[in-house]
Amino acid sequence: MIRASQHLPAGQWNGPPADSVTLEQGQRDRRRIALTSDGGLRFLLDLPERVLLRHGDGLRLEDGRTLEVFALPEPLLEVRARDTPHLLRLAWHLGNRHLESQIEPDRILIRRDRVIADMLERLGAEVGKVVEPFNPEGGAYDGVAGGHGHEHGHSHAPGEGHGHDP
């Protein structure tokens, strides 16, 4: 099986791709996985470290060809606020719950969750359902040696914390 061992960020590669691969967000946050391109090419994603592949990125195959990455649209919640300070407060509440979030200047996208939607509406947000590609923030530890990107990076003794609930 041919390997794709080089990640090429969007805008940093040129020329026509040999093929494409369309993946949901969970499949795009990987280091190593067997995949099949949109054209049927079976390949092994084999990167030196975990990377969140984004829409428009490229993957260089060992034979020099490039595959373009497409983000599969997913069911999400679109969160809108009355103004920027309100949007920042909503982002804080989502981050406090360690939810993957795609933060944009005028909205936040998160995975659909009825309980979180209710909380956001009680906080004054306008919440709607959308189907779009999901590109959440990578996390504070992405790209840091030994980083994991999905946890705090530290532990708490029983009863010890740092304000995870308002």
Side-chain angles (χ1 to χ4, degrees), residues 98-164:
H98 299 267
L99 294 174
E100 290 182 306
S101 302
Q102 180 176 327
I103 300 171
E104 299 178 358
D106 62 344
R107 70 180 188 162
I108 301 170
L109 295 175
I110 61 171
R111 293 190 188 286
R112 288 189 187 171
D113 182 308
R114 180 181 54 79
V115 173
I116 297 298
D118 182 60
M119 175 200 73
L120 290 165
E121 287 170 346
R122 284 186 284 117
L123 291 168
E126 181 182 317
V127 180
K129 293 179 179 178
V130 296
V131 177
E132 297 182 23
F134 188 42
N135 287 302
E137 294 295 314
Y141 297 101
D142 275 7
V144 176
H148 39 69
H150 295 292
E151 301 172 28
H152 282 22
H154 63 271
S155 62
H156 297 287
E160 183 182 286
H162 56 67
H164 284 285

Side-chain angles (χ1 to χ4, degrees), residues 22-166:
T22 304
L23 305 167
E24 64 183 26
Q25 189 273 330
Q27 294 174 305
R28 290 184 287 118
D29 190 9
R30 297 296 185 117
R31 184 190 81 74
R32 186 177 166 99
I33 187 174
L35 296 168
T36 303
S37 74
D38 298 335
L41 175 70
R42 290 181 35 81
F43 68 98
L44 177 65
L45 178 67
D46 189 18
L47 300 173
E49 56 188 33
R50 184 182 64 82
V51 173
L52 176 57
L53 300 171
R54 298 196 177 272
H55 188 82
D57 284 357
L59 296 172
R60 181 74 35 88
L61 297 171
E62 59 191 347
D63 65 5
R65 293 180 293 164
T66 301
L67 302 177
E68 185 171 7
V69 176
F70 290 113
L72 183 69
E74 301 180 48
L76 304 169
L77 290 177
E78 178 182 66
V79 181
R80 293 195 179 265
R82 59 185 165 268
D83 55 28
T84 301
H86 186 218
L87 190 67
L88 291 171
R89 281 192 295 281
L90 296 171
W92 182 89
H93 283 282
L94 294 171
N96 195 43
R97 283 152 184 84
H98 299 267
L99 294 174
E100 290 182 306
S101 302
Q102 180 176 327
I103 300 171
E104 299 178 358
D106 62 344
R107 70 180 188 162
I108 301 170
L109 295 175
I110 61 171
R111 293 190 188 286
R112 288 189 187 171
D113 182 308
R114 180 181 54 79
V115 173
I116 297 298
D118 182 60
M119 175 200 73
L120 290 165
E121 287 170 346
R122 284 186 284 117
L123 291 168
E126 181 182 317
V127 180
K129 293 179 179 178
V130 296
V131 177
E132 297 182 23
F134 188 42
N135 287 302
E137 294 295 314
Y141 297 101
D142 275 7
V144 176
H148 39 69
H150 295 292
E151 301 172 28
H152 282 22
H154 63 271
S155 62
H156 297 287
E160 183 182 286
H162 56 67
H164 284 285
D165 290 312

